[in-house]
Amino acid sequence: MRAVEEKVARLNADLRHHGATDVIRRAYAEIENLTLVSSFGAESVALLHLASMVSRDIPVLFIDTEMLFAETLVYQQELSERLGLRKVTTLRSEEIAAQDPDGTLHQYDTDACCALRKTRPLQNALAGYDGWITGRKRFQSGSRAALEFFEVEIPDDGAAPRIKVNPLAYWATSDVADYITENRLPRHPLVAKGYPSIGCAPCTSPVAPGEDPRAGRWRDQNKEECGIHFVNGKVVRTGDKS
């Protein structure tokens, strides 16, 4: 544990004034078993493109909750081909038939639905990795305001600590939009329809002008994260001692 914390602190210190590409390149070089987790949502193309420029062999994990928009599934396939991603794995929960046979769990317990369809399948898949790359950014929510490039994650199942890598931590909304435009990258088709943040269809709604970009996620609920980025109900630590 101490060794991982020290490594995270060193990486954060070394790359404090560097850009996203340098963060990905350094993570790929120093974390032996590394993967990238992507929702193939509204802003995902920026991180996927950056990663593909470092190596198209970085494994990519995509969680199909079986409640995604049809547009997301099509976009995932087309974008993977466009960027030449060679190692994309689609994850699906094996517990849905037993725990949510009629597909109504999200109507009365969104946390349980997210755990069933997203969190547990991902955590199971991450068991074989030493680190994973995310697309999280500081501006997205209050819980991400102090986000660093590297964090320590301690799995609930007692497995060895992992390193989370957030190359876009310091990017603003305009940075993402500019990067996508400058590199002529295809946008998720729902962005043009008022969806700046895209999750499962039942729990995602369009966002009105002036609203927070994530206002359409779990609207009118006291919820802003699906749980993937929390351990024991808390945000994972940055491990930044500097």
Side-chain angles (χ1 to χ4, degrees), residues 4 123 126-127 129-132 151-153 155 160-164:
V4 175
Q123 292 303 324
L126 288 174
Y129 293 97
D130 299 318
W132 54 300
E151 302 172 291
V152 178
E153 179 181 72
R162 286 190 291 265
I163 297 177
K164 290 178 70 170

Side-chain angles (χ1 to χ4, degrees), residues 47-62:
L47 179 61
L48 289 166
H49 182 259
L50 285 164
S52 72
M53 299 297 284
V54 173
S55 174
R56 293 180 177 178
D57 288 320
I58 294 177
V60 176
L61 300 180
F62 167 63

Side-chain angles (χ1 to χ4, degrees), residues 88-108:
V88 178
T89 299
T90 298
L91 309 176
R92 297 185 182 89
S93 172
E94 298 179 353
E95 307 171 60
I96 293 175
Q99 298 191 25
D100 189 18
D102 58 359
T104 60
L105 182 58
H106 68 278
Q107 296 178 7
Y108 56 88

Side-chain angles (χ1 to χ4, degrees), residues 36-41 44-45 47-48 60-63 79 133:
L36 185 155
V37 176
S38 178
S39 66
F40 284 81
S44 298
V45 65
L47 179 61
L48 289 166
V60 176
L61 300 180
F62 167 63
I63 308 171
L79 190 56
I133 301 171

